[in-house]
């Protein structure tokens, strides 16, 4: 069966659309910042076009990246996850962005709720395990909702808590926080859920862990990530 071209009917080339989406999602830039950067490259578009492109193609790119990574990860043992929740203001009201990070620091899942009780924790865990499988160890903070949810699932013996054990997921919040400030917060749960999912996939894709590699290997990995990004959505 032939794959339909998602860029059909657009006057701009797929390369320009991918570049605009990458700049907006990956870096803490506003829509107008992206418009100005593209203008310096001779690309004349409106900031509302950037908004439309990221809303249209961002979830599609993220889903394609996520699908490939999930297929690769399921072939290996998911031995440790780190779970935490981020406080996010939406129209002055506090919401919670639940996040699961694996032992390598990659964001597995993001889930937005109004509460952080047992029911919300259960939905988050069930959604994450359905997509990524079951880990050997679940590292959490001391929020009792995790223990109640894991008891209902039946894996409470796999939970670990500790003062410093969850630093990996705490540090992974920083790119999202920088992006949140650039966007001047969110207007609805739906927009937060959508952007958090797209942002996590794009960050995972371009996270090359440069501190663990030599300069030459880092350059090779970065070039490979860019090449794979430029092939997203290809018919």
């Amino acid at each position: 069966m032939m794959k339909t071209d998602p860029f059909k009917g657009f006057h701009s080339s797929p390369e320009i659309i991918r570049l605009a989406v990458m700049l907006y999602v990956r870096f803490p830039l506003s829509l107008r910042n992206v418009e100005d950067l593209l203008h310096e490259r001779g690309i004349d578009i409106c900031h509302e076009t950037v908004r439309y492109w990221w809303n249209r193609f961002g979830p599609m790119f993220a889903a394609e990246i996520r699908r490939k990574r999930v297929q690769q990860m399921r072939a290996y043992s998911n031995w440790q996850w780190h779970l935490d929740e981020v406080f996010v203001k939406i129209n002055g009201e506090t919401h919670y962005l639940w996040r699961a990070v694996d032992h390598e620091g990659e964001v597995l899942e993001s889930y937005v709720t109004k509460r952080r009780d047992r029911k919300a924790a259960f939905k988050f865990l069930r959604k994450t395990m359905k997509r990524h499988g079951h880990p050997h160890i679940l590292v959490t903070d001391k929020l009792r909702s995790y223990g109640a949810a894991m008891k209902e699932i039946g894996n409470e013996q796999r939970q670990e808590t500790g003062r410093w054990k969850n630093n990996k997921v705490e540090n992974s919040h920083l790119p999202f926080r920088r992006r949140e400030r650039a966007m001047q917060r969110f207007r609805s749960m739906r927009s937060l859920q959508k952007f958090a999912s797209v942002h996590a996939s794009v960050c995972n894709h371009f996270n090359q862990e440069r501190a663990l590699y030599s300069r030459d290997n880092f350059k090779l990995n970065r070039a490979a990530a860019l090449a794979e990004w430029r092939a997203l959505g290809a018919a």
Side-chain angles (χ1 to χ4, degrees), residues 14 43-44 77 153 232 235:
I43 304 170
D44 185 17
S77 175
I153 293 174
L232 292 176

Side-chain angles (χ1 to χ4, degrees), residues 40-199:
E40 292 178 3
R41 299 188 178 199
I43 304 170
D44 185 17
I45 61 172
C46 174
H47 67 278
E48 288 296 339
T49 302
V50 180
R51 187 198 305 275
Y52 177 77
W53 283 351
W54 103 256
N55 275 286
R56 172 73 178 268
F57 294 100
M60 183 189 74
F61 295 158
E64 192 169 339
I65 293 172
R66 192 183 305 114
R67 183 171 59 253
K68 293 179 180 179
R69 299 185 84 84
V70 168
Q71 290 174 353
Q72 295 172 356
M73 292 173 64
R74 276 188 172 273
Y76 301 94
S77 175
N78 296 326
W79 65 276
Q80 183 167 303
W81 290 356
H82 298 260
L83 310 179
D84 196 15
E85 64 284 348
V86 181
F87 292 70
V88 183
K89 289 283 188 179
I90 301 178
N91 295 326
E93 184 180 355
T94 300
H95 290 68
Y96 305 96
L97 177 63
W98 302 75
R99 301 170 78 253
V101 175
D102 69 4
H103 58 277
E104 294 183 343
E106 292 199 356
V107 181
L108 302 175
E109 199 69 47
S110 301
Y111 183 60
V112 183
T113 64
K114 290 185 177 181
R115 301 176 182 273
R116 55 172 185 161
D117 53 9
R118 179 200 57 79
K119 184 177 180 180
F122 176 77
K123 287 184 177 180
F124 168 63
L125 286 169
R126 186 175 60 179
K127 179 182 179 182
T128 307
M129 291 179 179
K130 182 178 180 180
R131 175 174 288 170
H132 299 279
H134 293 261
H136 295 168
I137 300 173
L138 288 156
V139 182
T140 71
D141 55 23
K142 296 183 179 180
L143 181 67
R144 288 183 293 178
S145 300
Y146 288 117
M150 290 180 190
K151 185 175 182 180
E152 186 171 347
I153 293 174
N155 62 351
E156 67 274 14
Q157 71 281 0
R158 299 183 180 184
Q159 183 184 10
E160 292 186 2
T161 59
R163 185 175 181 182
W164 310 115
K165 287 185 176 181
N166 226 20
N167 282 351
K168 189 175 291 293
V169 70
E170 294 287 350
N171 293 332
S172 72
H173 295 163
L174 299 179
F176 173 79
R177 287 302 192 191
R178 288 194 291 267
R179 199 65 194 81
E180 180 190 23
R181 288 193 294 269
M183 296 179 69
Q184 298 180 357
R185 300 188 183 276
F186 298 90
R187 304 294 185 269
S188 66
M189 288 182 60
R190 182 178 180 183
S191 64
L192 172 58
Q193 179 68 72
K194 183 177 183 179
F195 187 84
S197 298
V198 174
H199 182 263

